[in-house]
Amino acid sequence: MTPIWLALAPALAVLMTSYNGVHAQVIKDAERLFSNLMVDYNKMFRPVLNQSKPVVVSTWLDLVSIQDFNEVEEKISFTAILFLTWTDERLGWDPEKYGGINNINIDVSKIWAPQVMLLNNVLKIERLSEDWHTVSVNASGSCLYFIANVFTSSCDVDVTFYPWDTQTCAFQFMPAKYEPGKIVLWPLKGNVDFNYYSPNGAWDLVNTSVSSEIYGYTVSFKIEVERKPQFAIVNVILPLIIMSALNILVFLIPTDCGERISFCLTVLLSIAVFLTLVGDNLPKNSRPMSVFSYYLVSVLIISVAISLAVICSLHTYHRGEKQHPGAAWRAVARRLGCYCARRSGPEKAYRVTGIPGVDYKLAWPENVTPRASLGMHLVPYPMRNHRGVFLNRNTHVNGTLSSDHSEDSTFHEEETHEGDSSVMEIKWSEVSIALDKVFFVFFSLILTTDTLCFFMVIYNNVTL
């Protein structure tokens, strides 16, 4: 044994001896004390000698944990310890007469104790005390009673800025058997205690407050919790934004592949599923509505508009060639470069005459001189003959030109104009490609603006 234990051994022996001696004496004195306190004690009356005075019950709350927060049903379950303390003027004694006993525990069914209930209880409003609970009483008559339980109370949920929302829930306690003026519930502390608190995975505790209401008839403990948005961002918001951006890429899919309609409808149904998913996690009320719900509806409307735009583009692409595009459609196609890419540079038009039955208007780049020879391509660009028949790029005018025809065949230079429909042939398929470019840029701007507006509204209101 070390020297320090040798030094402490006599003191420990004396302490153990005194404890054993007092232990037998305390039990005997405690029984006598309890018997004397219960003589002529009636728990039906309030513990004040002057029954016209109210009983002041001081109270405070120690929050242990938040068990569950159901936003849909607007209720919160929490584990807490409710402390109640008051003075019973009939329960006092002189410790010297009872072996120095300063404190004794008595069953709550034996003495008067305030019967309190949770006013905004969800399931059933009933008293919180049980007969097996005990009250700690000291020699001056001060009583301490604590109730540990899992409380479930209603809570007005405001999901306007979901998932960056902050909720404030109040737990209101009141006496169960007495009218106002008989018992006064007085908050002993201005805040809720967290001596045994364990953090919640979905909510952060921000602030607490305590207030007495209705002239001390009720006491309200308020806690302010803030949602942790990481789960909603990763599992709802980011997939929604990605699918919305993916929906716009439908305009980059070639029309001939035949999968454009199925692609945009699949994304539309996915967004509809997300709308249902979020709706199941929000309260079923209209005031207030979540900003995120409006954002989901706007994304759904944009997706529907994209589907209609794809249908319009496909209808334009597969239109027949009997009815040629009008001037407006041709202008759209030219401005977007669909047809200009087919032109290599400035052109001049030459009219070929002198060949019986042939009256062609030809176009050459201005640095090329037209020549009529055997086997040459007389029509390297789309042309129209005098009968209104279009000749494509691969049309050949082959054969042997007689000397008469060679001599009589002449090229007459004519100026061409960019808008001359006889020189430039624009098909409906090219108009469809131009529309895809317009739709891609338009819906990209709309979706970007919609998403930025949503985050700006959330950010401005959360940071206030």
Side-chain angles (χ1 to χ4, degrees), residues 4-17:
I4 186 172
W5 287 109
L6 292 174
L8 293 177
L12 291 173
V14 172
L15 180 61
M16 295 297 298
T17 304

Side-chain angles (χ1 to χ4, degrees), residues 248 298 302 441-452:
I248 299 176
S298 65
I302 293 173
V441 175
F442 175 75
F443 286 110
S444 297
L445 293 176
I446 290 295
L447 181 62
T448 303
T449 303
D450 186 35
T451 304
L452 289 178

Side-chain angles (χ1 to χ4, degrees), residues 372-391:
S373 61
L374 294 177
M376 76 173 290
H377 295 265
L378 293 180
V379 190
Y381 294 92
M383 295 294 125
R384 182 199 302 265
N385 65 9
H386 69 286
R387 295 184 181 86
V389 179
F390 283 95
L391 301 177

Side-chain angles (χ1 to χ4, degrees), residues 54-201:
V55 178
V56 179
V57 179
S58 300
T59 179
W60 70 95
L61 187 74
D62 198 331
L63 186 64
V64 177
S65 65
I66 298 175
Q67 295 291 336
D68 181 44
F69 195 170
N70 193 326
E71 304 99 299
V72 178
E73 299 181 5
E74 295 186 298
K75 65 180 182 180
I76 182 173
S77 298
F78 62 98
T79 303
I81 304 174
L82 178 65
F83 291 89
L84 303 171
T85 179
W86 68 95
T87 299
D88 193 329
E89 297 179 0
R90 294 172 296 178
L91 298 179
W93 67 90
D94 185 3
E96 297 297 333
K97 296 181 180 180
Y98 298 95
I101 299 177
N102 290 315
N103 186 277
I104 188 173
N105 292 331
I106 304 175
D107 288 344
V108 72
S109 59
K110 301 294 184 180
I111 62 175
W112 184 93
Q115 305 294 330
V116 296
M117 58 185 180
L118 183 61
L119 185 60
N120 55 343
N121 198 331
V122 173
L123 302 176
K124 183 180 179 180
I125 299 179
E126 56 185 1
R127 70 173 190 174
L128 301 179
S129 61
E130 300 288 344
D131 291 340
W132 56 269
H133 291 173
T134 60
V135 178
S136 178
V137 184
N138 63 17
S140 62
S142 297
C143 303
L144 175 63
Y145 178 32
F146 62 90
I147 304 172
N149 205 343
V150 178
F151 304 97
T152 302
S153 65
S154 60
C155 180
D156 294 332
V157 178
D158 184 358
V159 291
T160 304
F161 305 111
Y162 172 90
W164 290 273
D165 55 327
T166 301
Q167 308 296 335
T168 301
C169 298
F171 317 124
Q172 297 177 340
F173 296 94
M174 65 173 292
K177 297 173 59 176
Y178 295 95
E179 67 275 8
K182 299 296 183 179
I183 296 179
V184 176
L185 294 179
W186 186 259
L188 191 62
K189 300 180 180 180
N191 296 311
V192 177
D193 287 338
F194 308 104
N195 297 323
Y196 311 101
Y197 181 74
S198 58
N200 186 269

Side-chain angles (χ1 to χ4, degrees), residues 344-348 350 364-370 381:
S344 60
E347 297 175 349
K348 291 183 180 181
Y350 299 87
W364 266 273
E366 65 176 354
N367 58 349
V368 178
T369 304
Y381 294 92

